[in-house]
């Protein structure tokens, strides 16, 4: 089946690293995604990783993929108050649609 | 480049009334999606169009929800009659042709927030 699970909340202090975790079920997903949603806004693609990669780094963002355990994580280095948002993990089973997790609300305290 | 446009941004109706949402995808994007996002949950796919044909509507409550994409561009999503549990944000997204070859990114609109009283 298709299911994506995330923890619901994460609170960090400004300047610390944030790690948001996700588990997924569909091993056919070619890409896995992290989307960011700010209050009252739609979803914006933050980063993605190809399924044959273990890690992808993009400035302050590091994505780790453990395909064997179907575990995906997003690390945000030097977290800022502007990073406060809801972060969604998504898998992409065959057919083009994305299946989203329930979202992790990141709260960054000054 | 203009993004995905949706209207209205907000709608309040009473149960059993009807409502319609409109979406204009990014120019040239062949695939259009409607997602329902209930407060505190992730977006759930309602329907996926490829040009003007339906690819996936398995999660669409067809007794009350309908969607169309005439001419393969704009799309409308209708709810009739609305129930309290339909209160949600309705997100429209689009993706370019050849999505399976590219990164698969979906581009989202800002959403239409529906409150059913």
């Amino acid at each position: 089946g298709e299911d994506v699970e995330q923890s619901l909340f994460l609170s960090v202090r400004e300047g610390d690293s944030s790690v948001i975790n996700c588990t997924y079920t569909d091993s056919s997903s070619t890409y896995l995604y992290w989307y960011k949603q700010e209050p009252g806004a739609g979803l914006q693609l933050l980063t993605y990783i190809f399924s044959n990669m273990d890690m992808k780094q993009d400035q302050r963002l590091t994505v780790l993929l453990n395909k064997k355990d179907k575990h995906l994580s997003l690390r945000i280095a030097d977290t800022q108050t502007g990073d406060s948002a809801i972060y969604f993990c998504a898998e992409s089973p065959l057919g083009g649609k994305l299946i989203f997790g329930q979202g992790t609300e990141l709260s960054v305290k000054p | 480049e203009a993004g995905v446009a949706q209207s209205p941004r907000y709608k309040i109706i009473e149960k059993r009334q009807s409502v319609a949402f409109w979406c204009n995808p990014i120019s040239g994007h062949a695939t259009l999606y409607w997602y329902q996002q209930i407060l505190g949950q992730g977006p759930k796919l309602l329907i996926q169009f490829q040009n003007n044909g339906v690819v996936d509507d398995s999660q669409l409550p067809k007794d009350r929800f309908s969607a169309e994409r005439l001419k393969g561009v704009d799309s409308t999503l209708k709810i009739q009659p609305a129930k309290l549990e339909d209160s949600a944000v309705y997100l429209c997204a689009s993706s370019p042709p050849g999505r399976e070859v590219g990164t698969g990114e979906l581009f989202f609109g800002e959403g239409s927030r529906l409150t059913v009283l």
Side-chain angles (χ1 to χ4, degrees):
Chain A
E2 302 163 343
D3 198 15
V4 180
E5 298 281 340
Q6 299 178 239
S7 52
L8 295 181
F9 299 102
L10 177 65
S11 181
V12 300
R13 291 230 171 260
E14 194 171 23
D16 288 351
S17 292
S18 307
V19 179
I20 302 172
N21 294 301
C22 166
T23 57
Y24 62 97
T25 55
D26 196 303
S27 56
S28 72
S29 294
T30 307
Y31 290 93
L32 293 142
Y33 306 86
W34 285 103
Y35 276 78
K36 179 181 179 182
Q37 186 177 38
E38 294 180 351
L43 278 72
Q44 280 194 297
L45 180 69
L46 197 61
T47 187
Y48 64 92
I49 187 167
F50 190 46
S51 59
N52 70 352
M53 296 171 64
D54 297 325
M55 185 182 88
K56 179 180 178 183
Q57 188 142 6
D58 183 2
Q59 299 182 330
R60 293 190 296 123
L61 305 177
T62 304
V63 179
L64 296 178
L65 175 60
N66 181 329
K67 205 171 177 185
K68 174 176 165 288
D69 294 339
K70 296 192 180 74
H71 183 267
L72 185 72
S73 69
L74 173 70
R75 179 177 180 270
I76 305 173
D78 187 24
T79 314
Q80 303 297 307
T81 54
D83 295 324
S84 293
I86 301 176
Y87 291 81
F88 292 94
C89 168
E91 62 179 358
S92 58
L94 296 175
K97 66 186 179 186
L98 296 189
I99 307 295
F100 289 89
Q102 63 268 56
T104 299
E105 183 174 350
L106 174 64
S107 173
V108 183
K109 300 189 185 323
Chain B
E1 179 183 85
V4 176
Q6 290 190 246
S7 67
R9 286 295 313 274
Y10 305 93
K11 189 75 177 179
I12 300 173
I13 61 173
E14 295 190 347
K15 59 183 179 184
R16 290 188 289 273
Q17 287 187 323
S18 63
V19 63
F21 302 112
W22 173 82
C23 172
N24 187 313
I26 293 173
S27 177
H29 281 196
T31 311
L32 184 146
Y33 310 78
W34 283 102
Y35 280 82
Q36 179 193 56
Q37 186 178 18
I38 293 172
L39 186 65
Q41 298 182 19
K44 183 186 84 171
L45 181 71
L46 292 175
I47 190 166
Q48 175 184 350
F49 291 95
Q50 179 78 16
N51 297 309
N52 60 351
V54 175
V55 174
D56 184 346
D57 63 356
S58 57
Q59 299 297 307
L60 188 74
K62 297 180 187 65
D63 57 334
R64 297 181 302 103
F65 285 65
S66 64
E68 60 182 12
R69 191 183 184 198
L70 300 175
K71 301 178 184 177
V73 181
D74 293 8
S75 177
T76 56
L77 175 71
K78 295 179 183 176
I79 308 173
Q80 182 180 11
K83 292 186 174 181
L84 296 177
E85 59 261 35
D86 298 332
S87 293
V89 176
Y90 291 86
L91 295 165
C92 181
S94 67
S95 62
R99 183 173 168 271
E100 276 69 31
V101 178
T103 65
E105 178 181 359
L106 265 60
F107 295 80
F108 283 85
E110 292 185 316
S112 295
R113 182 179 296 275
L114 173 66
T115 302
V116 182
L117 303 176

